[in-house]
Amino acid sequence: MKGWVPMAPVENALDDDDLDLVAALQRAPRAPLSLLAQALGVSASTVGRRLARLESNRLLRVIGQVDLSVSGESTPWHVWVTAAPGRADDVARRLVALPEAAHVAVTAGQADVYCVVQPARRTETHDLLTRRVGALPGVRSTRTALVLRADTKSDSWRLPRLTADQHRLLAEYAAQDGDPAPDGTDRPARLAGDELRTLRLLAADGRMTAAQVSRELGIGRSTAYRVTQSLLQRELIRPRVEIEPALLGYALEAVVALTVSPGGVGEAARTLARHPSARYVSTNAGPFSVVHQGVFRDEAGLAAFLTREVADLPGVLSSDVSVVLRALRRHWLDREDGRLANAPGPADQGRDSTPRPEGDTDQWECSAHDDT
């Protein structure tokens, strides 16, 4: 895979202090080192060294997830692929090569490969699903479902390690760093100028400060601060921690796709979205009305989820479970053996490893060549 440098295996790469830092960053991704140190009871230099090590080893990265309203044209599709015998890995690699592929994993179960794709425009959906995905060499058949609503997203999932006091301290900062905009504030479908350029920088580095934005873009610090806070307040960009679940002790990952009677879809989605395993839950149009992407510490955890929580949901007609064997891409970030793709610098923002929006249209594409 382009850009990869062989490195040591990542098994047991994180110790308890690393895990505490990850949990703190999940709660407040943009918190300064001094606040993270205060919450964790260590020095700021210790936190800085740990974070730098995790980033340099490509185990962790704080990115900015761009909101769909920035583009507003397309929404994601779940795709389950049945591959020819022995072709699952090859199909997955070909899917990773598609710029519309946000998530790609080799799986076991009814599907050999599971992916999430997002066409740049609605008019491109037919070609993407039927030709560019469905007709890939090695693909025998596909099943697809259109995401109608995300009931929870992976940036909401938290590693349960913080005490109440730690949680409170970090939550107070997170609430201040980009307080939600007042009701009624417009969330424009198109951005331009300094807003668009700042959005791109924050998408690649969710911890970038206003001072850094000022230097990178050559604008005044007060302007950089105002634009950064405006993007955060309007939730046009949401900082999030990217790290493989297995490094956090969640060795088992599954995509549970449910067919639910129409009257039970809403309750099923809301219930599953509250489950501690939920990294992403969506309501869909297609063969599966609710999809739950979950992480579990072991097989016993998945068994309990399927036989208790799922079994108790009213209106569930059938379920389909795809167990993730290997994730090649998440949120447009390529992975290999638990490591993330090299983070692009400000001059490299058009590369594939730059996180894209939840809806990627001309607005992002134009800025990528001239900024999901």
Side-chain angles (χ1 to χ4, degrees):
M1 189 177 295
K2 184 178 178 181
W4 287 105
V5 177
M7 298 184 73
V10 298
E11 290 86 354
N12 303 315
L14 275 64
D15 60 24
D16 285 342
D17 292 332
D18 292 327
L19 295 175
D20 289 342
L21 175 56
V22 172
L25 284 168
Q26 287 179 327
R27 179 61 264 182
R30 290 176 54 81
L33 296 180
S34 58
L35 182 65
L36 293 171
Q38 181 183 350
L40 299 176
V42 297
S43 69
S45 60
T46 297
V47 171
R49 285 195 301 270
R50 284 188 174 275
L51 181 56
R53 176 176 56 80
L54 293 174
E55 291 175 333
S56 64
N57 289 336
R58 304 203 314 266
L59 300 177
L60 176 147
R61 183 174 164 193
V62 179
I63 65 168
Q65 182 169 320
V66 182
D67 193 76
L68 178 62
S69 65
V70 172
S71 59
E73 182 174 347
S74 66
T75 53
W77 288 77
H78 298 281
V79 182
W80 293 264
V81 178
T82 299
R87 299 296 300 277
D89 287 339
D90 181 53
V91 169
R93 285 191 292 268
R94 291 177 183 273
L95 287 169
V96 167
L98 298 178
E100 296 88 350
H103 184 111
V104 180
V106 178
T107 58
Q110 289 297 316
D112 301 306
V113 179
Y114 165 76
C115 68
V116 177
V117 299
Q118 191 159 338
R121 305 169 188 83
R122 289 186 186 275
T123 55
E124 298 177 1
T125 303
H126 177 269
D127 181 70
L128 175 64
L129 295 180
T130 62
R131 184 182 66 83
R132 299 179 60 216
V133 173
L136 279 176
V139 172
R140 283 196 166 180
S141 64
T142 63
R143 290 180 293 175
T144 58
L146 171 64
V147 175
L148 301 177
R149 181 182 66 239
D151 298 277
T152 192
K153 300 177 182 179
S154 56
D155 60 327
S156 301
W157 185 81
R158 303 282 188 264
L159 184 62
R161 293 185 66 89
L162 300 180
T163 66
D165 288 341
Q166 290 173 317
H167 185 280
R168 188 179 305 109
L169 177 64
L170 295 167
E172 288 174 357
Y173 175 85
Q176 296 169 4
D177 183 47
D179 287 327
D183 292 341
T185 298
D186 290 338
R187 301 173 75 186
R190 299 192 69 82
L191 301 175
D194 292 339
E195 282 192 321
L196 197 55
R197 294 190 296 159
T198 301
L199 188 81
R200 293 218 52 187
L201 292 176
L202 293 174
D205 181 359
R207 286 182 56 80
M208 183 169 282
T209 66
Q212 292 171 314
V213 171
S214 173
R215 289 194 297 270
E216 292 290 346
L217 300 184
I219 60 178
R221 185 172 296 193
S222 60
T223 299
Y225 178 81
R226 174 180 53 79
V227 172
T228 299
Q229 288 301 303
S230 175
L231 294 171
L232 293 169
Q233 288 169 355
R234 288 180 287 167
E235 297 183 333
L236 297 180
I237 194 156
R238 299 189 306 277
R240 59 181 280 179
V241 177
E242 279 297 313
I243 186 170
E244 282 299 286
L247 295 176
L248 305 178
Y250 293 83
L252 190 60
E253 184 176 358
V255 181
V256 180
L258 304 178
T259 301
V260 185
S261 61
V265 170
E267 181 178 350
R270 289 189 296 271
T271 300
L272 293 180
R274 293 191 297 267
H275 194 269
S277 70
R279 282 178 53 87
Y280 182 78
V281 176
S282 66
T283 300
N284 317 288
F288 305 116
S289 40
V290 178
V291 170
H292 174 104
Q293 295 179 16
V295 292
F296 307 87
R297 293 197 178 275
D298 51 31
E299 287 77 6
L302 177 58
F305 174 73
L306 294 174
T307 59
R308 298 174 189 171
E309 281 79 7
V310 173
D312 289 343
L313 291 173
V316 174
L317 305 176
S318 64
S319 64
D320 187 306
V321 181
S322 298
V323 176
V324 174
L325 302 178
R326 184 162 66 98
L328 282 72
R329 174 178 287 180
R330 302 181 197 269
H331 197 65
W332 285 282
L333 287 175
D334 294 346
R335 326 276 168 132
E336 185 170 282
D337 298 328
R339 299 187 190 276
L340 309 175
N342 284 317
D348 304 317
Q349 294 303 297
R351 296 182 181 175
D352 289 344
S353 57
T354 303
R356 291 174 53 186
E358 294 171 4
D360 189 36
T361 65
D362 285 342
Q363 176 175 335
W364 185 264
E365 293 172 347
C366 289
S367 59
H369 302 295
D370 73 68
D371 167 53
T372 317

